[in-house]
Amino acid sequence: MKPTFKSTFFRLLGYGVTQTVAPTPVQLELLKQAMLDALTQRGCLNHPRLVRQIRYAADAEGLWYLRSDLMQALSDLLGEGAAYEELERVSLLFTRYLPQAMTRRAGRPRT
């Protein structure tokens, strides 16, 4: 089948590209632990709801969408600049498990 302009365009945007691997249960636990480690013990005590959501997330996509809550909690603890750097470190761990369109790096928020 010859590629069309439409299919080529969407492929460039990351649609239809399935190069991801579902994480094993051990890998999923490592993702969860990385998020909890970023929070530190103080953050876990101050944000118990987020800790529960991370612990009981069923898949990598669920954890990915908890990053905004993690960013808010980290900002409370560390300040926005340090929180952003920590979140970038955690986000890199997801690249194998989610479509490229989801994990593509967005620009740094303006301060």
Side-chain angles (χ1 to χ4, degrees):
M1 177 182 217
K2 184 177 175 187
T4 64
F5 173 78
K6 183 179 175 183
S7 66
T8 304
F9 177 75
F10 281 111
R11 181 152 303 161
L12 286 172
L13 293 176
Y15 295 103
V17 179
T18 56
Q19 299 174 357
T20 61
V21 176
T24 65
V26 171
Q27 291 167 327
L28 188 62
E29 288 304 314
L30 291 174
L31 290 173
K32 291 177 183 183
Q33 193 57 51
M35 293 176 82
L36 294 172
D37 288 346
L39 268 177
T40 69
Q41 186 175 6
R42 190 175 115 212
C44 289
L45 292 174
N46 292 343
H47 301 278
R49 183 177 138 278
L50 177 58
V51 171
R52 275 192 308 276
Q53 289 175 316
I54 291 170
R55 284 190 179 144
Y56 294 110
D59 55 17
E61 188 174 338
L63 289 171
W64 178 258
Y65 287 115
L66 287 173
R67 290 175 328 112
S68 61
D69 295 332
L70 180 62
M71 177 65 181
Q72 184 177 11
L74 290 173
S75 292
D76 292 344
L77 293 168
L78 309 171
E80 188 173 346
Y84 181 81
E85 290 175 11
E86 189 65 27
L87 192 67
E88 280 291 305
R89 185 187 65 75
V90 170
S91 296
L92 287 174
L93 302 174
F94 285 87
T95 55
R96 292 183 56 209
Y97 308 118
L98 297 172
Q100 183 182 12
M102 286 181 74
T103 59
R104 191 170 293 138
R105 186 174 185 269
R108 184 177 181 148
R110 296 179 191 174
T111 56

